[in-house]
Amino acid sequence: MQIFLQGAGLIERLYIREVMIYADYNATAPLRPEARAAMLAAYELGPVNPSSVHKAGRAARAVVEKARAEVGAAIGSRAEDIVFTSGGTESLALAIQGAVAGLDGAATLIVSAIEHEAASKAAAHAGVPVETAYILPTGQVDLDDLRVRLAAWDRGLKGTPILVLMLANNETGILQPVAEAAALIREAGGLTVCDAVQGLGKVAVNVALLGVDYLALSAHKVGGPQGTGALWHRAGAPLKAVLYGGGQERGLRSGTENVAGIAGFGAAMSQAVLDLSRYVSLGTHRDAMEARLKAEGGVIVIGEGSPRLAGVSNFARAGFRAETQVMALDLAGVCISAGSACSSGKVKRSLVLMAMGADDALAESAIRTSFGWNSRPEDFRHVADAWLEAARRTVLKESV
């Protein structure tokens, strides 16, 4: 079925089987028309390499540097502190493993219990001890526990503490107190790696205000192309390459730059900043959807009392398994996810909810809906309609 979505004057064509409502922006956002235009313009340059010194190569380099400035401006940083990568996963690996390498292995990683696997697995393979930063039932990191831990930190034994903490959780949308946590780490002489992949373009992101040392970014979460990302790093923060080759990106990330992808990333970032207030306005429709689902479907909204991304809702109805919900809504023409969509298509119990103290029944029945730049108010109503109809055929009729 060919679906047409109107976006900023350009018709976006999605060839997805039987899809009517897309509510899975946290998995990937539709390509913004501004990003598409920038990519097409880059392709018009022809087969050029931005490392070549001839005229065509210099033109490609200009495209890359323009995008570098756009990404930097969007997060309040200098352009020269941006390193382009293939996506958020590589950015996190470079930050975590590159920081450890920059410290010659004299470090201990403190990874929050709700981090994306791109961060937790990069940490597990960094070759240094890994500790867990615990999560409160609110879904936010336990700052008191972190404070106590750092007060007793034995630098001679453990080396430099490196905190790995996301800005916004990919499953629940709950925002983390990154600035407060980074301040504690800084006072202890440590470093902070922040996964801002889900927060980018949805909340204001300023690296100076966050006080972090590394910030991982991804293009396709904000309406840019898949396969492009970036790492911001504070000037002077220890960082060594983990991928070797021709020495591109100031020797920190070798490999020929994806010129068109980078151009699309820069354009998407610029537009996302302009659209920030519109994204925030989605919270009104999200709240109305949740109120209806609670009243008519008896759902529990995860993180309802915590600060959350405006377009994200994670909810559960015990006894209504997540995979059943995903399939039922798919048949109704609605795209959603259960947990993270970056786990090879698997539907499994949410480790994020388990870290928040949820019981098995709740963790096995939680689903995520996420909306974004091209979502319409009626999309929230259609999602609620589809979920309630699916629930009536299963759990709700059993509770009457």
Side-chain angles (χ1 to χ4, degrees):
M1 181 176 181
Q2 181 172 314
I3 305 301
F4 296 93
L5 298 181
Q6 181 69 42
L10 181 68
I11 297 294
E12 296 290 324
R13 294 174 177 84
L14 299 181
Y15 297 95
I16 305 176
R17 183 183 60 84
E18 300 298 328
V19 173
M20 294 174 61
I21 303 299
Y22 187 73
D24 204 14
Y25 275 72
N26 276 21
T28 194
L31 188 67
R32 291 177 183 266
E34 298 81 7
R36 182 190 296 274
M39 294 174 71
L40 289 175
Y43 283 126
E44 287 298 319
L45 294 176
V48 293
N49 188 319
S51 295
S52 298
V53 296
H54 49 60
K55 183 177 180 179
R58 295 197 303 274
R61 174 55 56 189
V63 170
V64 170
E65 297 311 318
K66 178 178 181 291
R68 198 187 308 276
E70 290 171 328
V71 173
I75 61 172
S77 88
R78 305 183 306 169
E80 55 263 42
D81 296 331
I82 300 293
V83 178
F84 285 118
T85 69
S86 64
T89 296
E90 185 187 345
S91 295
L92 284 165
L94 175 57
I96 294 168
Q97 297 175 358
V100 168
L103 293 168
D104 296 323
T108 295
L109 291 160
I110 307 173
V111 182
S112 95
I114 57 170
E115 294 304 298
H116 192 283
E117 284 187 331
S120 61
K121 289 188 176 179
H125 290 85
V128 297
V130 179
E131 298 183 2
T132 300
Y134 298 110
I135 299 300
L136 298 168
T138 60
Q140 294 184 303
V141 68
D142 188 336
L143 292 176
D144 290 336
D145 176 75
L146 182 62
R147 186 179 293 108
V148 170
R149 187 183 313 203
L150 292 172
W153 195 266
D154 186 335
R155 199 177 184 91
L157 179 64
K158 293 185 171 183
T160 300
I162 302 177
L163 175 67
V164 181
L165 180 64
M166 56 177 37
L167 180 58
N169 185 258
N170 52 301
E171 293 187 30
T172 65
I174 294 174
L175 295 165
Q176 297 299 314
V178 173
E180 293 88 339
L184 293 175
I185 290 290
R186 187 167 57 252
E187 291 170 5
L191 302 164
T192 300
V193 175
C194 179
D195 173 1
V197 166
Q198 290 294 351
L200 191 66
K202 302 169 186 175
V203 294
V205 177
N206 184 288
V207 289
L209 296 178
L210 287 175
V212 299
D213 302 281
Y214 314 88
L215 193 83
L217 310 170
S218 179
H220 76 105
K221 304 295 188 180
V222 295
Q226 296 172 348
T228 305
L231 174 68
W232 170 85
H233 61 105
R234 177 180 55 79
L239 185 66
K240 288 185 177 180
V242 296
L243 182 67
Y244 304 99
Q248 291 88 345
E249 295 299 294
R250 302 189 312 283
L252 290 170
R253 199 280 182 180
S254 292
T256 302
E257 292 95 339
N258 177 357
V259 177
I262 288 170
F265 189 8
M269 282 303 308
S270 295
Q271 191 59 43
V273 171
L274 295 175
D275 288 348
L276 188 57
S277 61
R278 182 181 181 279
Y279 179 84
V280 172
S281 71
L282 295 178
T284 299
H285 307 296
R286 188 271 314 273
D287 292 346
M289 180 187 75
E290 291 178 344
R292 182 183 172 198
L293 290 172
K294 288 193 296 180
E296 299 180 33
V299 307
I300 294 175
V301 176
I302 309 302
E304 186 176 16
S306 300
R308 290 182 291 160
L309 296 175
V312 180
S313 177
N314 188 302
F315 55 88
R317 163 89 189 200
F320 195 5
R321 294 184 65 86
E323 59 265 37
T324 303
Q325 296 177 64
V326 171
M327 289 187 289
L329 266 66
D330 182 47
L331 291 172
V334 176
C335 288
I336 62 166
S337 285
S340 172
C342 303
S343 300
S344 301
K346 295 176 288 186
V347 176
K348 54 187 178 181
R349 179 183 303 168
S350 170
L351 297 179
V352 171
L353 269 62
M354 299 293 283
M356 292 171 61
D359 59 27
D360 289 352
L362 196 67
E364 291 173 354
S365 61
I367 61 170
R368 178 193 72 194
T369 62
S370 51
F371 304 84
W373 71 268
N374 208 26
S375 295
R376 306 160 299 175
E378 57 265 33
D379 291 346
F380 295 83
R381 175 172 54 82
H382 288 317
V383 169
D385 288 343
W387 188 91
L388 287 168
E389 178 59 30
R392 288 188 187 101
R393 295 195 301 267
T394 53
V395 294
L396 292 184
K397 67 181 181 182
E398 297 172 2
S399 60
V400 175

